[in-house]
Every structure is written in structure tokens, then in C-alpha cells.
Amino acid sequence: MPSMAIRHLIHLLNAPSAVAAVHQLSAEETRIGRDLPLPGLTVSDARMSRTHARLRWNDRSIFVVVEDLGSKNGVFVNGQRTISRALADGDVIRLGDTVIAYEQAPATACAPAPEFASPGIFSGPSVAAARLRRDLEAVRESTAPLLFYGESGSGRESAARLLHARRSSTGAFTLVRSSPAAPLDVKALDATLSLSGAHSADTLYVDGLADVEPDAQLALVRLLAEASERRPHVVVASTFDLRVGTLASRVLPDLASRLLPHMISVPSLRRRRPDIVAVLRHLTGDVRLTGDACEGLAIAGWPGNLRELVSVIRRASTAPSIDGRLDLDALPEVFSRPIRRRLTAPQTTTVAFSRPSAADLAAALDRFEGRVADVAIHYQKSRLQIMRWMERYGIPVPGGVTGVADVTETASSELFELD
């Protein structure tokens, strides 16, 4: 049995509204296609085969494997066509025009907990976004200083502004930036506090903690030592985790000791692949994507995170659409190139195996320990076809089945071309 410490989720990013967007994989296999009996997952996708693919546990129930069940249009993982492949957290699967994000979640992540309301760009079903929303809700009434850390463009300032808006309807949000070219010193910090006339309803947001001068850090320590009703809520931000040496070596121990208990991780967009369509809809009000465009966005590296996504959407909003859907032409080349390269390359993997010799078929059956389903995947054929070959060569069919007619009913949902 698979470990119960981890939940395995699939997120259908662009599935029809009639299909639930998130599915938790059970201990049994999950089949996906356009026309499947329960408990299979049926998706209304004209480019998906009736029985397109399955997700199953490997023999030791350690990881999940996606397998092509002889589909016409193939199975792609992270843009590459595959017959059978073990999945890693964050992998993106393409079946027909449907794009799926695979995600692993700790079992404890399913425990109900209050989440931050109206999360804006932090909407979405991903585990990382849900954790951030819970963290924001947990500190919503706190006066303790906070450290938001995450990659550039991930939304640290946006998270701080959302928190400020929920904490106070009258206070000011004061932003101070520090950088290697213009490090924040005590004079600049004092001038900012004097101009803002800070009080407890305000938020002082200091961006670039690693580049704040020691005298300004001392000023922050003195500010935090004041009674809470006399000071603004202090939020600092960094691209580094304070527990990592790069930042820890640049922060005074007195300031670090106040920030360490109250750190919030703002996830990168790569850790939020299931959220990409939800974020797009938040930014645009409504957006529809072709399968190619959705896959291109889902498999992208996103070094600029949310900031880069906003830039992409601004460009896409002026591009022509196909039936009201954004296509590859609306995306910058860096997003469309992997898909275009695949579409124009010779699809050698789409050519199914011809009928093997009796010796080759026997060797394949021996390699897969008699598992006809695995042999079918190896040859990109249906189980029914494999059994027809076995009958032709006089190879015993497992389970006491004596002829093709006996397996026709169980294979009726697998309508493949037989040769």
C-alpha cells in the first residue's frame, strides 16, 4: 500500500467546468479518458482517447507512474512524449488538450484550517498557496514583526499589502527599499518614520533585509522594543531564508531573534503550477486557453514568478485569440518554443510497434513477469491485441483465458485499431 503520509493530487488546469478540478489518487489505479465507466475519470476532450492513460502505483507503491494506454494523441510529461514515466512533484501532464498538474501534499495539509479571505494573486488550489493563506490568517491579528521570504517577483510585497488591508482600514502602508546599490541606513529610515508619522495602525515594510546597514538594523531593534501601541507593524522581506547562512551572516543577532519565530515563506510560481489558471483569471477576470497555450504556461520555468506572469498577460491581452481562447501566438517565444518544436518535429514515438516475433513477445512477457497490461504499454497496443498475438503464437494466456472472445467484454472500453 502507498504511504499514507503523502497525498497525491492531480489538478485539471483547463478541464470543462463539469469536471472537478482536483482529484486525490487512491490506492487503486486511476484511468483517464473521454468515455470511461466509474471509477475512471471522464473528461470531455475530443482529442483524448476513450481510454487514454492511467495513473498507478509502481510495484513497491513508492511513486506514481503515468502510462499511455495506446492513445492516438499520446501522453506528454513536462513537454516530452512518454509511454510510461514515474512522476515527480510538480510534473505537468498533457492528455489530448487537457493539461494536468501532479502534486504531492503532506497528509496533514488536508486538515481544515482557517484561510485568508480574498487572497487575490494567492488564489488557487496548490498546497503551497493554501499554506501561505493559512500562515497569513494565523498572523492577521498579531503585532509581532514578520519576515516574508521568497524569490524575486514571487509576491512578498503583495502578501504584505493584503495582510495590511485586513489588519487596518485606516493605517498607512509605508514602503522602504534597500539594495546593494542603495543600502538603507539609519538616516533614511528615521526620515521615513518621521514623514509617515507612524502609529500602530500603520505597516512599515522594509524590502531587502540583506542590504540594510547595521545602524538601520539597530534602529529597527529599538523600534521593535517600543510598546506595540506606539509603533507601526514591522514587516521585512528578503529573497533568503533567515536560517540560511547567506542572510543570517548579514543580520544582527538582536534583529534575527525577533524575526525567526515569525517567518512566512512566499512560494515561487514553479511551486504553484496548479494555480496558474486561477491567477490568470484573477488578473484578467476570465481567460480561456488552448491546450497548447495552457501547457506552455504550465511547464515554463518562471524565473520572474508572478511579476513575469503579469507581463505575459499584458502582452497576451492585445494578441488575437482563437474562438475566444489565447493560443501559442499570444505568448512570448520562450513559452511557445518548446511546444512549437514538438509540433514541428518528426513524431517517431507515435508509430506503433509492428507485430513482434513469437520469441520477442515471449521475451517481453518474461521481462514484465507475465503482466499483459505492461506488455501492451511496451508495444503501444491494447491488451486485447497482445492476447490475439499470444493466441496466434500459442503462448498461454494468464488467468486461464483460452481465447480472444473471453476477453472481449473486459476490453470493450479500449477501442484500438487491431492489426
Side-chain angles (χ1 to χ4, degrees):
M1 291 290 292
S3 170
M4 300 307 293
I6 297 177
R7 294 184 302 143
H8 298 260
L9 308 173
I10 54 173
H11 303 264
L12 278 65
L13 303 189
N14 60 338
S17 58
V19 179
V22 184
H23 297 266
Q24 181 171 339
L25 302 182
S26 66
E28 305 296 331
E29 71 175 24
T30 299
R31 294 196 169 212
I32 306 175
R34 75 168 190 269
D35 185 15
L36 285 174
L38 293 175
L41 176 57
T42 296
V43 181
S44 180
D45 182 342
R47 297 191 68 247
M48 193 181 289
S49 297
R50 287 182 173 88
T51 305
H52 196 108
R54 70 171 175 173
L55 297 164
R56 66 167 181 86
W57 296 95
N58 75 316
D59 292 340
R60 297 174 62 190
S61 296
I62 296 175
F63 50 80
V64 173
V65 177
V66 61
E67 295 176 339
D68 190 336
L69 296 179
S71 67
K72 178 180 179 181
N73 291 312
V75 172
F76 299 85
V77 177
N78 300 332
Q80 301 296 317
R81 185 157 191 176
T82 185
I83 300 300
S84 179
R85 175 166 168 170
L87 295 176
D89 188 24
D91 279 349
V92 176
I93 307 164
R94 171 84 177 269
L95 310 177
D97 272 333
T98 301
V99 181
I100 301 170
Y102 167 72
E103 185 177 41
Q104 297 175 356
T108 54
C110 62
E115 289 193 7
F116 201 75
S118 303
I121 59 173
F122 302 111
S123 303
S126 74
V127 173
R131 183 181 296 116
L132 175 60
R133 294 192 295 267
R134 289 195 295 270
D135 288 345
L136 291 174
E137 180 62 25
V139 300
R140 183 165 58 88
E141 301 296 337
S142 173
T143 59
L146 302 176
L147 169 63
F148 286 105
Y149 67 96
E151 294 181 10
S152 177
S154 59
R156 301 186 307 264
E157 181 182 336
S158 296
R161 288 185 181 276
L162 281 171
L163 183 61
H164 170 76
R166 289 292 303 278
R167 286 171 53 87
S168 171
S169 59
T170 59
F173 185 92
T174 303
L175 170 63
V176 182
R177 297 192 188 279
S178 186
S179 67
L184 179 67
D185 59 22
V186 67
K187 291 183 178 180
L189 179 61
D190 286 345
T192 299
L193 292 174
S194 299
L195 289 173
S196 64
H199 55 78
S200 59
D202 295 343
T203 295
L204 173 64
Y205 179 80
V206 180
D207 188 26
L209 176 60
D211 300 306
V212 176
E213 294 282 6
D215 59 353
Q217 292 188 36
L218 280 173
L220 286 173
V221 171
R222 290 194 296 270
L223 180 64
L224 293 172
E226 295 181 5
S228 59
E229 64 272 10
R230 297 176 51 196
R231 61 172 169 80
H233 186 225
V234 176
V235 179
V236 297
S238 174
T239 54
F240 302 104
D241 184 337
L242 187 52
R243 294 163 293 192
V244 178
T246 303
L247 182 59
S249 62
R250 301 183 187 181
V251 178
L252 297 179
D254 281 352
L255 182 56
S257 65
R258 288 169 166 80
L259 296 175
L260 277 170
H262 311 289
M263 298 193 304
I264 294 179
S265 173
V266 181
S268 67
L269 196 54
R270 293 184 303 282
R271 291 174 53 203
R272 298 182 56 199
R273 295 190 192 279
D275 301 337
I276 287 176
V277 173
V279 175
L280 288 176
R281 287 174 177 160
H282 167 74
L283 294 172
T284 64
D286 186 27
V287 65
R288 295 172 59 221
L289 303 170
T290 64
D292 290 338
C294 186
E295 183 186 12
L297 293 173
I299 67 175
W302 295 112
N305 292 293
L306 289 169
R307 185 184 299 125
E308 185 178 7
L309 179 60
V310 171
S311 175
V312 169
I313 290 306
R314 285 176 179 168
R315 166 178 167 164
S317 63
T318 62
S321 61
I322 298 178
D323 298 328
R325 299 180 299 166
L326 295 181
D327 194 26
L328 284 180
D329 291 337
L331 304 181
E333 184 184 1
V334 67
F335 297 93
S336 61
R337 187 187 307 121
I339 311 301
R340 292 191 190 281
R341 185 184 299 126
R342 187 181 77 209
L343 293 174
T344 57
Q347 295 294 317
T348 56
T349 56
T350 64
V351 179
F353 286 92
S354 59
R355 185 172 70 241
S357 67
D360 287 343
L361 182 58
L365 285 162
D366 182 64
R367 172 188 171 191
F368 293 105
E369 300 177 344
R371 297 190 299 273
V372 174
D374 289 341
V375 175
I377 292 168
H378 172 69
Y379 284 114
Q380 302 179 46
K381 296 290 185 179
S382 69
R383 288 177 297 170
L384 179 57
Q385 177 67 80
I386 300 301
M387 290 184 179
R388 288 187 64 179
W389 287 342
M390 293 171 71
E391 185 178 42
R392 180 191 295 256
Y393 293 132
I395 299 174
V397 177
V401 179
T402 58
V404 173
D406 295 330
V407 300
T408 300
E409 182 177 353
T410 60
S412 61
S413 63
E414 300 181 38
L415 303 181
F416 301 95
E417 181 181 357
L418 304 179
D419 56 29

